[in-house]
Amino acid sequence: MSQKKQPRKASSTPPAKSVPRRRWLRTGLGITLAGSVLLGVWLVYLDAQVRQAFDGRKWALPAKVYARPLALYPGLLLSPQQLESELKWADYRAAADAGRPGTYSHQGGEWQINRRAFPFWDGQESARQIRLSLVDGRIARLADAQGEQPLIRLEPQYVGGIFPTHNEDRELIRLEDVPPVLVAALIVTEDKSFFSHWGISVTGIARAMLANIRAGGMVQGGSTLTQQLVKNFFLTNERTLTRKVQEAFMSLLLELHYSKEEILEAYINEVYLGQSGRRAIHGFGLGARFYFGKPLQELSTGEIATLVGLVKGASFYNPRRHPQRAESRRDLILGVMQDNRIISAAERIRAAGQPLVTAEPRREGQREYPAFLELAKQQLQQDYRLEDLQNEGLRVFTTLDPWVQYSLEKASVAHLQQLEAGHPDLTNKLETAAVITSVDGGEIRALLGSRHVTYFGFNRALDARRPIGSLVKPMVYLTALKEGEYHWGSRVDDGPVTVEGPQGKLWQPRNYDEQSHGEVPLLDGLKRSLNQATARLGMTVGIDRVVTELHRAGVLSEVPSYPSILLGAIDLSPLEVAQMYQTLASTGFLTPLRSIDAVTTSGGETLSSYAIRGRQVYDPALMEWLRYGLEQVVADGTARAVGRALPQPLAGKTGTSDDIRDAWYAGFDNRHLGVIWVGRDDNQPMAYPGSRGALPIWLQTFRDIGTEPLPPTRDLVQIAVNEQGALMPDGCRAGTPYPFPKSWLDKERVACDADGAPIKERIRSWLDWLF
């Protein structure tokens, strides 16, 4: 009997071969899922990065620092050289009719200036046609389209920035203000499919991949404008596949959230176009000013093509360093522009036929002023955080006068070279520092921290504390005059002085000429800078009183009550000396020196303005009295070189420290106070006293900027003084007249005879004759 076959039961165990397949499937699904999650997280992170950067402020914008605007008004002391220089520094161009903003013309003393619109700190001002007449170095007439005007300002010169650590600088410009020709040229040159792709170009990537395969490495990218922006904005120049993938994803995200117009505007402001010292030039707005000295809207077609050509390689196609290379690139782009009907054939021929001319890279309108910028930064940080100054695009309007600064720099460099030529052993060893302020407001008009005027380093004007020598002497004489017992005709002994100090150490000051001069008028002690007479006078009125007056005049540093301080054994910086002399020059008004006028946001909103602050610390009549002595120093004393060169009432004082280690000069006219220091950083002697080392720099600077003579004294009267220093009655023909405050009119006087001799001396002469 045959046996039926039983059906085979299905096995619950899968075939051996199917187990690994399922495991791999699950593993693959897990990896894919995990990868998708990680990719999603990464994309969310990238998306956050993109949106954070593009929402609100896109860049860390340095504060832009401007000089004072040139205020024009009838009667202003203004030379043709200064006016033309300041226009050129502000990138104005000479033109026959001055028909466009940013141009000027002149014939003889008649000037036409087409001023650009500018957002001054106190409000926006539109473009303006200005006409002015210069007669004998002053503005005789000032007018615009509305007629005669009492005041018109020219826009201020850019003098530097307060940069973040990467030192990027840019001038933001809106897309609607960009010349359409530039936009079109950029698109057809860099990314023809910009308005149709989604951030990446497949054809561009394929073309780049082929080139890279042939080269065996990353040599070419298929970047769109969006990808270039992403790379510049977020990434490095590293040529790796990972970075390219990240760049592609970020480009897609950027295109997802923002319009083509927003992306294009960001690119126009971000693109790197060159380097200016420590400053990186970014964006077409700043690039136009840097290379051509013009606003972007004023560029010619050829200049636009040159800028667009820099996108390919800012260093390689730099028109200043490689003009032939840049010109070839320009002409190539002009050809592309013609092919794409952006310009006509005639326009291309005309533009290609123009020489490639760039603005001078080191022109005043593009250079920085390191010493002044450091001071401005210090004073700004009293009210603003450094990160806000570096990032918020603030506009800082300062007190710097470019013409005064230029004149000071030129005079300093030339004079140091002359001094070193006379003493070859001093070559490259002399240094200088200087401060020039406005007499009436304490605004710092120029600041020099080194003979190397563009050097960002040790700022001697602020930080070099050196013995001030005879610059202290006016404070000794001020103390005496203020006491009420002394006047300029009082007698003081210029004999040898010996003072015993601690441990029996003797202080024995000597005059510069090593001579003693006996009894001399107080005025001679100052104008001849006699050390012995000054030391004796200071000890008579009291050293502590002199120290008190130093602090009253604005010296903040501690001053020890030692006899040697009477002759300048006090270490002060040029800025501190300027603060002290500012009080003397401004008829006793103590005004903190300042470098800032106002600060605004990038949109023009005023954040702060700095008015003149101060207080009257001395009687104006007393200051006029002291000023008379300083005028005599210039007219007939140690600073007589100034009096001979500029025969008008000016005031000043020379200063020389022990062993001729420091040369100083401080002087002022009715507009400016200038303090000059010359010396060696190693504090070694240098053979030149103040009258030869520092004074010539002051003199040449003030020659160039022009001087306003000091006004006649209003609160002083003339009183004759006899040889003993006693006041004589009005009408005496004998004696020497000196100025006095009117309060001295009631002082007791000695009598005089018809010949001008005092009565007691006349009686004595009669007795001698009789007996």
Side-chain angles (χ1 to χ4, degrees):
M1 180 175 178
S2 63
Q3 205 172 18
K4 281 187 177 180
K5 287 185 179 181
Q6 298 295 323
R8 183 182 295 175
K9 292 182 179 179
S11 174
S12 59
T13 303
K17 289 184 178 181
S18 67
V19 173
R21 186 180 304 160
R22 290 188 179 183
R23 285 178 181 168
W24 281 110
L25 182 60
R26 284 197 299 268
T27 302
L29 287 172
I31 292 173
T32 302
L33 180 60
S36 299
V37 171
L38 289 175
L39 177 62
V41 171
W42 185 55
L43 288 176
V44 169
Y45 168 73
L46 292 183
D47 187 69
Q49 270 196 309
V50 168
R51 298 186 70 170
Q52 182 180 5
F54 270 74
D55 289 340
R57 181 174 55 87
K58 296 182 178 64
W59 293 278
L61 295 175
K64 285 193 175 294
V65 184
Y66 295 93
R68 61 93 183 100
L70 178 58
L72 306 173
Y73 55 87
L76 173 67
L77 189 64
L78 182 68
S79 68
Q81 294 81 8
Q82 178 184 350
L83 179 56
E84 187 155 32
S85 293
E86 296 220 27
L87 288 170
K88 288 180 177 178
W89 297 340
D91 287 328
Y92 277 68
R93 301 181 308 284
D97 58 355
R100 297 179 60 184
T103 60
Y104 71 95
S105 66
H106 69 96
Q107 187 171 6
E110 300 299 317
W111 291 71
Q112 290 192 48
I113 304 168
N114 198 325
R115 193 199 69 186
R116 301 185 185 101
F118 189 82
F120 292 92
W121 70 267
D122 53 356
Q124 174 77 32
E125 291 192 16
S126 59
R128 200 169 182 180
Q129 282 274 10
I130 303 169
R131 300 187 307 278
L132 64 86
S133 301
L134 290 180
V135 178
D136 295 331
R138 292 185 185 272
I139 295 180
R141 179 175 174 272
L142 180 67
D144 65 3
Q146 309 303 317
E148 302 279 336
Q149 296 295 333
L151 175 70
I152 300 176
R153 294 179 296 185
L154 297 181
E155 71 266 33
Q157 177 188 325
Y158 170 85
V159 297
I162 301 176
F163 297 107
T165 54
H166 50 65
N167 286 336
E168 287 185 7
D169 196 12
R170 55 178 47 80
E171 184 175 304
L172 291 184
I173 190 165
R174 297 175 302 176
L175 185 60
E176 55 263 37
D177 296 328
V178 179
V181 172
L182 188 149
V183 174
L186 182 64
I187 296 296
V188 299
T189 304
E190 294 296 320
D191 187 1
K192 290 187 72 172
S193 60
F194 174 74
F195 285 103
S196 60
H197 64 61
W198 286 87
I200 59 175
S201 171
V202 177
T203 56
I205 292 174
R207 183 175 61 251
M209 286 180 62
L210 183 60
N212 294 333
I213 291 170
R214 288 173 178 168
M218 295 289 290
V219 296
Q220 183 176 325
S223 298
T224 63
L225 283 180
T226 311
Q227 287 175 279
Q228 291 180 40
L229 178 60
V230 166
K231 181 182 69 175
N232 294 338
F233 220 67
F234 303 101
L235 307 174
T236 67
N237 288 323
E238 182 186 12
R239 289 177 175 268
T240 64
L241 182 60
T242 303
R243 192 199 63 77
K244 291 297 292 182
V245 170
Q246 184 177 354
E247 176 188 292
F249 275 115
M250 294 183 85
S251 299
L252 291 169
L253 290 169
L254 194 64
E255 294 269 358
L256 177 65
H257 292 298
Y258 301 97
S259 69
K260 291 289 187 180
E261 288 73 17
E262 289 175 297
I263 294 170
L264 187 58
E265 182 177 271
Y267 183 92
I268 286 171
N269 285 300
E270 170 61 24
V271 62
Y272 173 73
L273 294 177
Q275 197 74 25
S276 176
R278 66 179 186 135
R279 183 170 61 138
I281 306 299
H282 283 261
F284 286 102
L286 184 58
R289 290 194 184 276
F290 177 67
Y291 286 107
F292 299 108
K294 302 177 187 178
L296 187 59
Q297 298 87 344
E298 297 179 15
L299 294 185
S300 68
T301 301
E303 290 165 343
I304 286 174
T306 303
L307 280 188
V308 171
L310 288 170
V311 174
K312 189 78 171 176
S315 177
F316 191 80
Y317 293 110
N318 186 310
R320 294 192 180 114
R321 295 181 182 176
H322 310 292
Q324 292 182 335
R325 207 181 281 167
E327 188 171 318
S328 296
R329 177 71 178 162
R330 177 200 69 179
D331 294 348
L332 175 65
I333 290 173
L334 287 171
V336 173
M337 292 168 70
Q338 178 190 335
D339 293 342
N340 287 271
R341 300 183 179 179
I342 299 168
I343 58 175
S344 66
E347 289 174 307
R348 181 194 63 78
I349 293 170
R350 191 180 307 115
Q354 294 294 318
L356 181 55
V357 179
T358 59
E360 170 59 43
R362 298 188 180 276
R363 67 192 187 280
E364 296 296 310
Q366 279 296 313
R367 58 156 290 202
E368 294 185 288
Y369 299 82
F372 184 88
L373 281 175
E374 182 181 349
L375 175 63
K377 185 175 174 181
Q378 288 181 10
Q379 295 190 345
L380 283 167
Q381 286 185 265
Q382 297 173 13
D383 298 315
Y384 296 92
R385 299 184 309 165
L386 178 59
E387 53 264 40
D388 291 333
L389 295 171
Q390 292 175 329
N391 298 323
E392 297 296 334
L394 302 181
R395 288 171 169 257
V396 180
F397 295 88
T398 74
T399 61
L400 181 73
D401 186 317
W403 180 250
V404 177
Q405 181 75 29
Y406 168 76
S407 301
L408 173 62
E409 292 176 355
K410 185 176 66 171
S412 298
V413 171
H415 186 61
L416 291 193
Q417 290 174 347
Q418 183 179 342
L419 292 180
E420 291 173 346
H423 276 262
D425 57 306
L426 293 176
T427 301
N428 296 324
K429 294 180 180 178
L430 293 181
E431 265 295 352
T432 186
V435 182
I436 297 182
T437 69
S438 66
V439 165
D440 57 356
E443 297 103 338
I444 296 174
R445 297 304 189 195
L447 194 78
L448 195 62
S450 169
R451 67 186 294 172
H452 306 290
V453 298
T454 60
Y455 174 62
F456 282 87
F458 183 56
N459 191 339
R460 293 161 186 81
L462 309 184
D463 302 322
R465 300 173 57 81
R466 305 290 292 245
I468 66 173
S470 296
L471 290 193
V472 78
K473 288 178 181 174
M475 301 307 300
V476 177
Y477 288 86
L478 171 63
T479 305
L481 294 174
K482 186 183 177 188
E483 214 179 46
E485 298 298 325
Y486 289 91
H487 54 77
W488 288 123
S490 298
R491 298 287 160 164
V492 61
D493 183 9
D494 187 52
V497 175
T498 300
V499 178
E500 184 174 349
Q503 289 84 45
K505 186 177 182 179
L506 299 181
W507 182 60
Q508 297 176 307
R510 295 288 183 265
N511 289 328
Y512 184 74
D513 62 3
E514 298 290 337
Q515 302 295 317
S516 297
H517 304 92
E519 294 278 332
V520 297
L522 208 68
L523 181 61
D524 278 19
L526 178 62
K527 75 179 186 178
R528 296 167 63 184
S529 201
L530 300 176
N531 289 336
Q532 296 173 166
T534 304
R536 180 169 277 104
L537 176 67
M539 289 185 291
T540 302
V541 300
I543 297 172
D544 288 340
R545 289 186 178 181
V546 174
V547 172
T548 297
E549 299 310 323
L550 282 165
H551 290 315
R552 189 191 307 275
V555 175
L556 299 179
S557 298
E558 182 179 352
V559 180
S561 294
Y562 301 149
S564 58
I565 67 108
L566 300 172
L567 302 181
I570 310 169
D571 291 349
L572 298 179
S573 70
L575 188 67
E576 291 175 297
V577 173
Q579 181 67 79
M580 178 177 71
Y581 270 81
Q582 180 72 29
T583 305
L584 308 185
S586 62
T587 62
F589 196 77
L590 176 59
T591 308
L593 301 182
R594 62 188 177 91
S595 62
I596 311 298
D597 269 337
V599 180
T600 73
T601 65
S602 57
E605 177 186 355
T606 300
L607 296 175
S608 52
S609 59
Y610 299 83
I612 297 173
R613 296 182 295 113
R615 66 187 190 279
Q616 193 77 41
V617 295
Y618 287 110
D619 180 358
L622 176 63
M623 288 293 98
E624 284 194 344
W625 204 15
L626 178 66
R627 194 190 82 191
Y628 170 80
L630 294 174
E631 288 179 15
Q632 298 313 301
V633 173
V634 172
D636 191 34
T638 57
R640 56 187 172 274
V642 172
R644 289 196 298 264
L646 301 171
Q648 53 188 285
L650 302 171
K653 184 69 188 76
T654 56
T656 308
S657 67
D658 288 346
D659 300 323
I660 318 183
R661 299 175 189 272
D662 302 272
W664 292 88
Y665 184 71
F668 56 92
D669 68 354
N670 199 40
R671 291 197 306 166
H672 296 111
L673 159 71
V675 174
I676 313 292
W677 169 84
V678 171
R680 293 175 56 166
D681 285 341
D682 60 8
N683 200 32
Q684 293 299 306
M686 60 167 184
Y688 294 111
S691 59
R692 296 177 60 201
L695 181 150
I697 296 175
W698 187 99
L699 177 56
Q700 188 57 53
T701 300
F702 276 65
R703 268 177 170 161
D704 290 342
I705 67 177
T707 52
E708 291 272 14
L710 292 167
T713 56
R714 296 175 298 176
D715 298 318
L716 302 182
V717 294
Q718 294 288 320
I719 299 177
V721 176
N722 67 17
E723 291 184 358
Q724 287 72 43
L727 275 63
M728 302 176 69
D730 294 341
C732 283
R733 288 175 294 174
T736 302
Y738 289 94
F740 286 81
K742 294 175 182 177
S743 60
W744 280 69
L745 288 172
D746 298 330
K747 296 276 187 177
E748 182 180 356
R749 309 189 190 192
V750 297
C752 64
D753 63 9
D755 296 324
I759 292 296
K760 60 182 180 180
E761 290 190 11
R762 182 184 175 196
I763 293 173
R764 186 180 298 114
S765 66
W766 286 347
L767 292 173
D768 290 342
W769 181 75
L770 288 172
F771 302 103

